[in-house]
Amino acid sequence: MPEIPVPSRRGLLFGTAAIGAGALLTACTSNEPESKGEATNNAPVADDKPGKAVTIGFAGPQADHGWLNAINQNARSRAKKYSDVTLDITEGSNDTATQIGQIQTLINKKVDVLVVLPADGKALTQVGLQAMKAGIPVINLDRIFASPQAYRCWIGGDNYGMGLNAGRYIGEQLKNKPNAKVIELAGIDNLELTKQRTQGFDDALKNYPNIKKVARQAADFTVESGQAKMAQLLQAQNQFDALWNHDDDQGVGALRAIAQAGRDDFLMVGGAGAKSAMDAIKADNSVLKATVLYPPTMAASAIDIARALGQAKGVSGLAELEIPASLTLYSAVVTKENVDQYLPTGFS
C-alpha cells in the first residue's frame, strides 16, 4: 500500500472507475445560450481515436501486495486499449537504488512520458527531477515526490478520506445505539498514510458523541499480521459494535480470526476494495458489511493522462488548455446495495 501521503485536500475529486482521457472530466452545462462574442476553447482534446504514437515508461514498486499487482494490471490493460500507445514497464522493485536505475534506463530510452509509482516518494524525488529536466513529463502516481518540480501531474487516492468515510458509515449504523464501541485494525504505524486514515476516522467519529473508540492495533498489510492482531483485539475486547480494518488483504486474516473466535456480534468495514471483500459483502454471510475504496484504477487514469500529455492534448470538459496538476480519487463506500457497480474494479 502507499507509503507517502497524498497532497492533503488539494486534488480534484474523482470517482473510482478509470475513465478515458476524452471523458476524464464532465463539464457543468447550462441551458442558457452562449453569450455573443464569448470566447470558446477549440484546443485539441484526447479521445479514443488513434493519434500521435506515444511511448509511456511505467515504473512501480514490486507487486508484493494485491493492490500493487492491480496497479500494474490496470496500467497494462489500459495501454492495450490504445493502438497509438507503447508501454515500457519495468520489473518493479522495493529497493530504492534499483528503482532509480530502472527509471534512469527509461529516461535514457527517451520515452515520451513517465508514469512513476515510487517505492519511496522522497527518495525518488531526484530521479523525477532528472526526467523533468530531460523534457520528459512525469505522472507521479500515489506516493508523492518531495518536490512538485519532480512531476507534471500527481494522481492518487485519499487516505484521510478513507478514514473519514469509514467513520461516517459506521457512525450512521450506530448513531441510535447508546454507548456504542468501535475498534480499529490499522496498517503500518510508521507510514504517514496510516496516520491520515486514523485521523480521518477519528474526525468522523467526533460527529457521533454516543460512539467511543476503545481499542486500536496496527498490522502490516498481510494476511498473517491481520489474523494475529485481530486475535489480540478479540481477546482484549469481549464486546464492541464495529471494526474498521484499513486494508482488505490483512482483512482476510482478520476474518479468519473472527471466525475462529466465533464472533458475529459486530459489523466490520474494510479498506482498499479487494474482490474477496466485495464478494463477502455481496454474500452477506459474515460481519464484513462494507469496504472503503482506494482504487488501483488510478493507474489506468495515469495512462490516459500520459497519452494526452504525449499528444499535447487536453482533456474533455475542461476550459483550460492543459491537464490539471493533481487528481485525487474519491474513497467510495461499497455496501451490499452498490457492490455490483464496483465489483469490476475489485482486485485479487
Side-chain angles (χ1 to χ4, degrees):
M1 293 297 292
E3 295 183 347
I4 303 299
V6 303
S8 177
R9 324 307 320 154
R10 74 187 181 100
L12 296 176
L13 292 180
F14 272 71
T16 59
I19 28 185
L24 228 143
L25 294 175
T26 302
C28 293
T29 58
S30 170
N31 292 326
E32 295 297 321
E34 197 170 78
S35 300
K36 187 175 181 180
E38 185 177 43
T40 58
N41 180 7
N42 294 318
V45 296
D47 56 32
D48 289 348
K49 297 177 182 177
K52 175 188 172 184
V54 177
T55 299
I56 300 172
F58 186 97
Q62 183 178 343
D64 54 3
H65 182 280
W67 186 87
L68 288 170
N69 184 57
I71 283 285
N72 291 342
Q73 289 178 346
N74 271 270
R76 287 191 176 98
S77 62
R78 199 64 172 182
K80 288 178 181 177
K81 173 184 174 182
Y82 301 116
S83 62
D84 50 19
V85 167
T86 299
L87 185 66
D88 192 339
I89 189 166
T90 67
E91 186 174 340
S93 175
N94 291 328
D95 179 74
T96 297
T98 300
Q99 193 178 20
I100 288 172
Q102 291 170 342
I103 295 169
Q104 287 175 332
T105 297
L106 293 172
I107 293 171
N108 292 335
K109 288 182 177 180
K110 299 181 179 180
V111 296
D112 297 301
V113 188
L114 265 173
V115 176
V116 179
L117 200 165
D120 183 325
K122 183 178 180 180
L124 268 75
T125 299
Q126 288 302 315
V127 77
L129 288 167
Q130 181 183 342
M132 292 289 286
K133 289 177 182 177
I136 301 173
V138 176
I139 307 296
N140 182 191
L141 193 58
D142 199 53
R143 305 172 186 178
I144 193 168
F145 292 137
S147 169
Q149 296 185 67
Y151 59 88
R152 168 59 183 83
C153 177
W154 173 88
I155 304 175
D158 185 354
N159 288 295
Y160 179 87
M162 278 187 76
L164 192 68
N165 286 345
R168 284 173 173 167
Y169 176 82
I170 288 174
E172 286 302 302
Q173 306 309 304
L174 302 179
K175 63 183 178 181
N176 296 321
K177 184 178 179 61
N179 303 314
K181 299 176 182 179
V182 301
I183 64 174
E184 181 181 8
L185 185 64
I188 303 172
D189 259 346
N190 65 354
L191 301 184
E192 185 65 25
L193 74 93
T194 300
K195 299 172 187 176
Q196 289 186 333
R197 292 178 185 183
T198 292
Q199 186 63 59
F201 187 60
D202 291 347
D203 286 352
L205 293 182
K206 291 176 184 177
N207 296 311
Y208 304 92
N210 64 307
I211 300 175
K212 181 180 180 181
K213 187 167 77 173
V214 296
R216 180 183 184 277
Q217 279 277 10
D220 298 314
F221 292 140
T222 68
V223 174
E224 294 75 19
S225 63
Q227 184 169 353
K229 296 298 183 178
M230 190 68 231
Q232 293 176 22
L233 282 169
L234 292 169
Q235 290 173 1
Q237 303 295 323
N238 59 10
Q239 189 279 320
F240 57 91
D241 301 289
L243 157 71
W244 182 43
N245 161 55
H246 285 207
D247 174 69
D248 286 333
D249 270 24
Q250 69 185 26
V252 173
L255 285 169
R256 287 178 186 171
I258 292 165
Q260 288 172 358
R263 296 282 294 271
D264 61 359
D265 54 326
F266 58 90
L267 69 91
M268 174 178 171
V269 176
K275 185 178 183 299
S276 62
M278 294 191 197
D279 287 340
I281 291 166
K282 184 170 183 175
D284 197 20
N285 57 5
S286 73
V287 296
L288 184 58
K289 302 302 179 186
T291 188
V292 187
L293 297 186
Y294 199 88
T297 51
M298 64 179 72
S301 293
I303 297 299
D304 291 335
I305 291 295
R307 176 175 177 262
L309 274 174
Q311 295 179 346
K313 294 179 178 179
V315 293
S316 178
L318 281 182
E320 288 74 24
L321 302 180
E322 300 288 345
I323 68 166
S326 63
L327 308 175
T328 304
L329 280 68
Y330 183 66
S331 293
V333 178
V334 178
T335 66
K336 185 179 180 181
E337 286 70 32
N338 64 5
V339 65
D340 286 335
Q341 176 185 349
Y342 292 104
L343 261 174
T345 70
F347 58 88
S348 300

